[in-house]
Amino acid sequence: MLDTTYILFFFFFFFLITSFSPLMAAYNLTLPGQHPNPEAVALQVHSIVNASLSRMLSRRKLLSTCETGNPIDDCWRCDSNWQLNRQRLADCGIGFGQYAVGGKGGRYYVVTDSSDPDPVNPPPGTLRYGVIQTEPLWIVFAASMVIQLSEELIFNSYKTLDGRGANVHITGGGCITLQYISNVIIHNIHIHHCYQSGETKISIFGSRDIWIDHCSLSHCKDGLIDAVMGSTGITISNNHFSHHNEVMLLGHSDDYLPDSGMQVTIAFNHFGKKLIQRMPRCRRGYIHVVNNDFTRWEMYAIGGSGNPTINSQGNRYIAPFDRNAKEVTKRVDTSEEKWRNWNWRSEGDVMANGAYFVASGEELEVKYEKAYSVEPKSANFLDQITMNAGVLVGRGRSSGKWTAAGNVTAGGDDDGNYLMAISGDPDDYDGDYAGGYMLCPNSILLYYLLAMLTFMLL
């Protein structure tokens, strides 16, 4: 009689072979979390955006200024008590990552220790201790802090990183790895200068139901965000990208067939200063790029190989001054004979400074009929929709800060509008790096004014 362990191992090995072999993938290529109708998801995104814009315009007539037309922000920032119900954020997602619940329903875990002394046995109170727990957790921060990682930060499933009310920077070795997990939300975190043990800032590997929102990402060795090896159900929204070469990679390789089931929404992001290429670079899958602001790439904005579907709607593409780099798109290492049948479509995009999008694909109108049944008029409101891309920090003294008692303090205003983006183009981490935080010119001026006032009062 065969040993039970041997039998289980045999069936596990057989499952792996049949699941990932090109032959089997060609017949049954459905990933866990893959949506059966991606065009319907694209349509839903436009419907939600246009509904938010309609509410904003109607409220503006009534002198109400909370709504911005950004459906994610309007979902929680207009709640005057959002600090008392942080987990409502999990209900505000859109696109393919809208089902990411993160740590909703779980306990709050408060990061009180910014150190990372022991990656193997991290002490309670550290960020690493929280993300490796097996239970759902909504992770918040007791204060602003810089977390210098000693090694890559490997998450477990059902976690939310909620940086609202604090100014949190993650840097150092390897940054964030999401490998073979699901249901993670990363919100309102600075992630930059990750070099030591890894190449990618946020690495999504064989994972699903992932939402990355309101983060600021820059300065890394390889990609700022990479999603590979059968990852799907991903939304990347309201982020600010700057100072980087290869920004985003979606798909492991041209020959890795499971990535044909990859579905990613890229919405309301600002692709800012000193970016060169890959915003994103796609291999296979269905990529919906909607209502983003692209400013002066150096090589190209959107690239791909391996026949991905790229649905570009309501974006603004501002080309660089280099007349040889005006094209938004790039088919990587592929002849026109092959790529002319790929489904790449631009609808309602704003082209500036000579930018142009090379579309392709047979029967385009049929392929995208459902996605285009709502005209993406929101491109005209891009400044409004993307004005708060990146990390939000509070203007007030409390600003939604998590207290030591485990409660949250009110911000002192009527809603979440006292949270403002601090990662716009004028600074983008070009300022001095003092005490672990980047000081923008306005912050430096304020610092000296306060110092002079203090000196005068002594």
Side-chain angles (χ1 to χ4, degrees):
M1 181 178 294
L2 292 174
D3 183 79
T4 304
T5 304
Y6 176 81
I7 295 175
L8 291 175
F9 176 79
F10 173 81
F11 278 107
F12 178 72
F13 181 76
F14 178 79
F15 172 78
L16 289 180
I17 294 297
T18 56
S19 296
F20 290 98
S21 68
L23 180 61
M24 294 301 295
Y27 286 100
N28 184 19
L29 195 60
T30 301
L31 296 172
Q34 179 181 338
H35 198 282
N37 190 349
E39 286 85 3
V41 178
L43 170 62
Q44 180 191 45
V45 170
H46 284 302
S47 299
I48 293 172
V49 172
N50 288 332
S52 288
L53 287 170
S54 297
R55 285 194 298 270
M56 177 197 71
L57 294 174
S58 62
R59 295 284 183 91
R60 183 175 291 177
K61 295 178 181 178
L62 300 175
L63 301 181
S64 174
T65 58
C66 176
E67 284 82 0
T68 64
N70 182 314
I72 295 174
D73 287 356
D74 293 349
C75 175
W76 65 270
R77 292 183 68 193
C78 292
D79 180 1
S80 59
N81 294 312
W82 71 264
Q83 308 93 338
L84 304 178
N85 185 16
R86 287 173 174 263
Q87 295 192 11
R88 171 165 167 70
L89 177 68
D91 301 327
C92 298
I94 65 168
F96 293 114
Q98 65 182 292
Y99 302 110
V101 298
K104 183 179 180 181
R107 296 186 300 115
Y108 285 96
Y109 172 88
V110 185
V111 179
T112 57
D113 184 350
S114 64
S115 69
D116 188 29
D118 188 349
V120 178
N121 296 298
T126 62
L127 175 59
R128 189 178 297 275
Y129 182 89
V131 300
I132 65 173
Q133 301 305 305
T134 57
E135 63 177 300
L137 289 177
W138 198 276
I139 300 172
V140 296
F141 299 83
S144 296
M145 60 183 67
V146 176
I147 300 174
Q148 183 84 22
L149 297 175
S150 56
E151 291 184 8
E152 62 182 326
L153 189 65
I154 301 177
F155 276 56
N156 214 331
S157 296
Y158 295 97
K159 299 293 180 292
T160 295
L161 230 58
D162 182 357
R164 289 175 295 177
N167 194 5
V168 179
H169 292 247
I170 296 177
T171 184
C175 279
I176 293 173
T177 298
L178 311 177
Q179 184 168 338
Y180 298 125
I181 62 173
S182 68
N183 289 284
V184 170
I185 299 173
I186 300 175
H187 181 84
N188 218 59
I189 306 290
H190 296 273
I191 307 172
H192 54 92
H193 294 93
C194 299
Y195 292 110
Q196 287 87 329
S197 65
E199 295 186 346
T200 303
K201 274 199 172 45
I202 300 180
S203 176
I204 306 170
F205 191 101
S207 298
R208 62 181 174 87
D209 297 327
I210 307 296
W211 182 21
I212 302 168
D213 185 58
H214 271 300
C215 293
S216 296
L217 302 102
S218 66
H219 297 98
C220 191
K221 183 178 179 181
D222 194 358
L224 295 180
I225 298 176
D226 287 359
V228 299
M229 300 301 288
S231 297
T232 194
I234 300 168
T235 292
I236 300 168
S237 59
N238 290 313
N239 300 291
H240 187 272
F241 302 91
S242 68
H243 295 85
H244 196 71
N245 179 7
E246 299 174 338
V247 178
M248 193 184 305
L249 174 65
L250 304 178
H252 175 65
S253 69
D254 294 354
D255 299 325
Y256 190 72
L257 295 183
D259 278 337
S260 298
M262 174 178 58
Q263 298 172 331
V264 181
T265 300
I266 302 172
F268 319 143
N269 301 285
H270 183 192
F271 294 89
K273 292 173 60 177
K274 298 183 180 180
L275 297 177
I276 298 177
Q277 59 181 321
R278 298 190 176 186
M279 298 170 249
R281 192 257 202 247
C282 314
R283 297 180 176 125
R284 299 188 171 274
Y286 184 105
I287 316 302
H288 189 201
V289 184
V290 56
N291 296 144
N292 301 277
D293 198 7
F294 295 82
T295 53
R296 299 196 177 95
W297 56 89
E298 294 187 21
M299 290 178 61
Y300 65 89
I302 298 175
S305 59
N307 191 13
T309 295
I310 295 177
N311 184 355
S312 173
Q313 296 183 300
N315 302 283
R316 177 167 55 197
Y317 297 103
I318 304 176
F321 292 106
D322 182 356
R323 63 182 182 180
N324 297 316
K326 300 291 187 181
E327 183 178 347
V328 172
T329 52
K330 179 179 177 64
R331 278 75 171 179
V332 181
D333 298 329
T334 308
S335 65
E336 183 176 352
E337 183 180 359
K338 291 183 178 180
W339 64 251
R340 66 163 60 113
N341 293 323
W342 296 357
N343 290 301
W344 290 29
R345 181 66 183 267
S346 169
E347 178 75 9
D349 291 324
V350 176
M351 304 291 173
N353 200 36
Y356 64 97
F357 188 108
V358 178
S360 60
E362 294 180 349
E363 300 179 352
L364 285 174
E365 295 301 328
V366 175
K367 175 73 176 178
Y368 290 94
E369 181 180 358
K370 293 181 181 178
Y372 294 159
S373 60
V374 175
E375 183 181 353
K377 298 178 181 179
S378 49
N380 297 325
F381 296 92
L382 267 177
D383 287 331
Q384 185 79 13
I385 293 173
T386 64
M387 67 178 179
N388 288 315
V391 169
L392 300 166
V393 296
R395 293 178 290 182
R397 289 179 295 176
S398 49
S399 303
K401 180 180 178 181
W402 185 272
T403 67
N407 298 312
V408 285
T409 58
D413 288 273
D414 292 334
D415 47 50
N417 279 330
Y418 59 81
L419 292 172
M420 298 183 62
I422 62 169
S423 52
D425 263 350
D427 306 312
D428 286 348
Y429 297 125
D430 276 342
D432 296 328
Y433 195 67
Y437 291 94
M438 303 294 179
L439 298 178
C440 66
N442 290 338
S443 299
I444 296 172
L445 177 60
L446 179 61
Y447 175 83
Y448 282 115
L449 288 174
L450 289 174
M452 291 176 60
L453 179 61
T454 302
F455 178 79
M456 293 173 62
L457 294 174
L458 291 176

